[in-house]
Amino acid sequence: MPRVIYTHPTGEHKEVEVPVGQNLMLGAAAHGIEGIVGDCGGAMSCATCHVIVDAAFAALLPAPDDTESQMLDFTAAPREANSRLSCQIVMSDRLDGIHVRIADPQV
């Protein structure tokens, strides 16, 4: 099963397995990763699952669509070049080892 490395704003890392086809927000929730709130449950209406994707993996992701891009403009933490909503990153074998930093604050 592919792995995701979540880095908390404190610097603490947690590596977990996330099934192919599941988004990174649900993967975080399933493993008790703190900091990814996901208030809307993945409906892309709250931006409380904001993460910054490691540059090595950002290039493997499709560009954010217009809705995600607009939501990223209104996150609590400033938007960065590789900011994404974790509800929009769907796990695949190609993303095995993806490293994301949890944005702080989320709300």
Side-chain angles (χ1 to χ4, degrees):
M1 191 175 311
R3 300 163 295 115
V4 178
I5 301 165
Y6 296 92
T7 299
H8 197 270
T10 63
E12 176 186 352
H13 301 287
K14 185 164 184 185
E15 183 175 322
V16 299
E17 293 181 339
V18 175
V20 170
Q22 186 175 79
N23 68 52
L24 271 55
M25 181 203 70
L26 291 175
H31 291 284
I33 306 287
E34 293 185 23
I36 295 181
V37 180
D39 278 339
C40 72
M44 207 169 22
S45 63
C46 71
T48 61
C49 65
H50 179 196
V51 296
I52 297 84
V53 180
D54 183 83
F57 287 93
L60 298 177
L61 299 174
D65 67 17
D66 290 342
T67 303
E68 181 181 2
S69 187
Q70 289 172 358
M71 292 303 297
L72 287 165
D73 286 338
F74 297 100
T75 55
R79 183 178 185 167
E80 297 184 26
N82 294 334
S83 285
R84 294 299 300 264
L85 299 180
S86 61
C87 68
Q88 298 303 299
I89 302 172
V90 178
M91 195 57 173
S92 67
D93 287 326
R94 182 176 169 188
L95 295 177
D96 184 30
I98 189 171
H99 183 197
V100 297
R101 180 171 41 93
I102 301 167
D104 185 38
Q106 290 287 346
V107 290

